[in-house]
Amino acid sequence: MTTLDPVTQEILRHAFAGIAEEMAVVEYRSSFSPIIREMLDFSCGTFDAEGRMVAHAEQIPAQLGLMQFALQRALDRHGRLAPGDVVLCNHPYHGGTHAPDLQVFMPAYHGGTLIGHTGSIAHHIDVGGRVAGSESAENTEVFQEGLLLPPVKLVERGRRNRAVYDLIAANVRDPDSTLGDLAAQLAACRRGVERLSELCARFSAETVLAATTGLLEQTSKRARSELASWPRTRVTAEGYLDDDAITPGRPVRIAAAVQVRGEALHVDLNGSAEQTPSALNVPWASTHAAAYFAVRCFVGAGIPQNDGLTRHVVVSAPEGTILRPRFPAAVSGRHLTVQRLADVLCQALGDLLPDRAVAAS
């Protein structure tokens, strides 16, 4: 295994972050819909060959660090992706968030060596379903929320899967915008692949691979050191949604307990309400995104957002609850619950670390 000097490691750390940010600029400038251009409801990132997050362009907190869930599911389903492959996924119960968030992943090769993957997640203006825009808190099952795509190959060895494109176009209300924004995601991922290949040409593939592993381990070391300085006290917090959007006046409880144990921050969400009959349920990946956001508010600025940090955030919740629903519970309105969960977690961490406490969002 190649061992890098600290200067080269630091140069490549910033290069990985710069690639993710450049991908985001490409997607932003190429997009069709104001939800991407104005709301910045999208994110881009780079991942290693195993699907672990290496760098992340942080456009919107609700998507923080969650793309690796869908990528891992894609790799489990399809195995090693070939040069020219592109995988598409939006299924909330296959590593996704809610149906309007389409995730695209592309492998990055250099000279026959798999360097890693690039990825994009973007909220699309419509993916079909019961109502225009696909989102409604009054949806009662995920089948009402639009086209559901488990990890499928949108492109295979450089050839577009025309059937998937036709299927998408036939199921959405504004196919031009949807396919246009999807093309922007592909452009962002291609730019990331090009930049990773350029890094390999400059430093060698072996060096880039070593820098990827080195970055994750360096981040993990920093995260362990940070958490070691936190109190071992178990802290709890709770908050409520006004109701579940179907039964007025019946508050929905969000409960959390946080505690540093060993080398990880354990986030226990037991005690939160059972899954609701509405669409305010939160897919498991989005529950993690809220936890990652809260942690980002409290860890040192020198700890980058990648798998080296997130591996030390252990989230648990019983299945069948609002924060870990069972299929086919509706989830399109999950953002409201995610925001409330993030506030509850920030309250708990603020009690644990009162000198770093932050206000609700």
Side-chain angles (χ1 to χ4, degrees):
M1 177 179 174
T2 302
T3 302
L4 301 185
D5 64 272
V7 174
T8 302
Q9 178 67 67
E10 192 69 2
I11 289 172
L12 287 170
R13 176 174 82 88
H14 286 283
F16 296 144
I19 289 171
E21 293 293 346
E22 185 177 351
M23 289 170 62
V25 172
V26 170
E27 183 166 339
Y28 167 80
R29 292 174 64 88
S30 304
S31 63
F32 278 52
S33 302
I35 197 165
I36 295 177
R37 293 195 313 274
E38 305 297 334
M39 188 177 173
L40 302 182
D41 197 345
F42 76 102
S43 292
C44 296
T46 61
F47 308 82
D48 71 1
E50 298 175 24
R52 299 178 298 180
M53 185 171 63
V54 175
H56 195 283
E58 300 175 5
Q59 269 65 51
I60 186 167
Q63 295 172 351
L64 192 62
L66 54 69
M67 279 190 283
Q68 54 191 348
F69 286 83
L71 178 55
Q72 292 286 353
R73 186 61 69 93
L75 296 178
D76 290 344
R77 185 183 184 96
H78 295 287
R80 185 176 178 129
L81 300 180
D85 282 355
V86 177
V87 172
L88 170 67
C89 177
N90 78 332
H91 200 302
Y93 294 92
H94 289 263
T97 58
H98 61 170
D101 284 348
L102 299 187
Q103 300 191 55
V104 172
F105 301 101
M106 187 179 296
Y109 281 86
H110 182 80
T113 299
L114 177 62
I115 303 301
H117 302 83
T118 60
S120 161
I121 178 173
H123 186 124
H124 286 247
I125 199 165
D126 181 84
V127 289
R130 189 178 65 88
V131 299
S134 306
E135 290 187 84
S136 171
E138 296 179 351
N139 288 336
T140 57
E141 60 178 6
V142 73
F143 299 113
Q144 298 172 343
E145 299 180 338
L147 184 65
L148 298 176
L149 297 166
V152 296
K153 287 192 177 180
L154 184 67
V155 180
E156 189 160 11
R157 296 184 181 273
R159 294 178 63 88
R160 288 190 173 194
N161 188 338
R162 179 52 56 187
V164 174
Y165 277 89
D166 291 345
L167 183 67
I168 294 170
N171 279 275
V172 303
R173 293 175 173 85
D174 187 355
D176 290 339
S177 290
T178 298
L179 295 179
D181 287 339
L182 188 57
Q185 291 184 261
L186 289 171
C189 288
R190 278 195 297 269
R191 177 61 59 86
V193 168
E194 291 168 359
R195 291 294 186 247
L196 286 172
S197 184
E198 289 171 4
L199 277 185
C200 291
R202 179 180 176 185
F203 291 94
S204 84
E206 184 181 45
T207 298
V208 172
L209 288 171
T212 300
T213 302
L215 171 58
L216 298 185
E217 295 310 311
Q218 181 187 72
T219 304
S220 176
K221 182 178 180 180
R222 289 177 176 176
R224 293 196 306 271
S225 177
E226 171 78 17
L227 293 174
S229 70
W230 290 13
R232 265 29 185 186
T233 309
R234 184 176 186 271
V235 178
T236 62
E238 67 175 8
Y240 291 85
L241 300 171
D242 292 340
D243 56 53
D244 64 4
I246 289 180
T247 309
R250 182 185 295 173
V252 178
R253 184 172 188 252
I254 305 296
V258 298
Q259 184 178 23
V260 176
R261 298 201 304 271
E263 297 182 336
L265 177 70
H266 290 260
V267 179
D268 182 2
L269 304 175
N270 191 18
S272 298
E274 294 183 359
Q275 66 186 56
T276 74
S278 70
L280 297 183
N281 302 294
V282 183
W284 195 224
S286 290
T287 296
H288 280 77
Y292 298 157
F293 166 75
V295 171
R296 289 293 301 159
C297 291
F298 286 82
V299 300
I303 302 178
Q305 180 71 30
N306 59 44
D307 177 77
L309 172 62
T310 60
R311 71 178 66 164
H312 296 287
V313 181
V314 179
V315 184
S316 60
E319 284 194 64
T321 58
I322 190 171
L323 302 175
R324 194 175 186 179
R326 290 191 180 95
F327 177 81
V331 297
S332 66
R334 63 87 172 89
H335 189 76
L336 299 172
T337 312
V338 168
Q339 287 188 271
R340 197 70 189 93
L341 172 60
D343 282 344
V344 169
L345 291 173
C346 283
Q347 178 186 337
L349 289 172
D351 291 342
L352 183 69
L353 302 164
D355 59 321
R356 304 185 190 180
V358 296
S361 60

